[in-house]
Amino acid sequence: MKAAKSILASVIATNVLANGALAQNDVAGMITQINRLNGTVAIQQIQDNTVGASTGGPTEEFKVQDGKLLDAVHAGDRVTYSLAGNGSKTITKLQKR
């Protein structure tokens, strides 16, 4: 019985840690420009939940994996997004905040 509790506790701990790591992949930003023909979007990074969050960082242009992601957003919208892999400039998930 102790072994089962130990295994269950380690599975739960691993799951919690894995979900926390996945949540860190989402980045907050504000859309500054959308090019639906080319499937690209320019996003200015903003710091989420901090003082001075409206100051923003540099604006970067990203390719969107699925052009349908751009249908629900407009310039000026605050969004969270995820990028494909490490160092890639392709957005795989885009959600309006």
Side-chain angles (χ1 to χ4, degrees):
M1 188 69 172
K2 282 187 176 184
K5 286 183 181 179
S6 175
I7 291 171
L8 181 61
S10 65
V11 167
I12 291 172
T14 302
N15 193 15
V16 168
L17 292 174
N19 286 338
L22 291 175
Q24 292 176 356
N25 290 339
D26 286 349
V27 182
M30 183 179 68
I31 295 178
T32 58
Q33 182 179 7
I34 298 176
N35 187 332
R36 288 183 173 84
L37 295 176
N38 292 336
T40 59
V41 61
I43 299 178
Q44 181 181 23
Q45 273 191 354
I46 57 173
Q47 293 180 356
D48 203 17
N49 297 327
T50 60
V51 176
S54 62
T55 58
T59 300
E60 292 186 71
E61 189 168 310
F62 300 97
K63 196 91 167 131
V64 179
Q65 185 175 15
D66 182 5
K68 293 180 182 178
L69 293 173
L70 297 177
D71 292 344
V73 294
H74 304 284
D77 287 347
R78 290 181 182 261
V79 295
T80 55
Y81 60 97
S82 296
L83 300 174
N86 271 344
S88 176
K89 293 218 175 202
T90 302
I91 293 179
T92 57
K93 183 177 94 174
L94 182 67
Q95 289 182 316
K96 193 173 180 179
R97 293 176 34 173

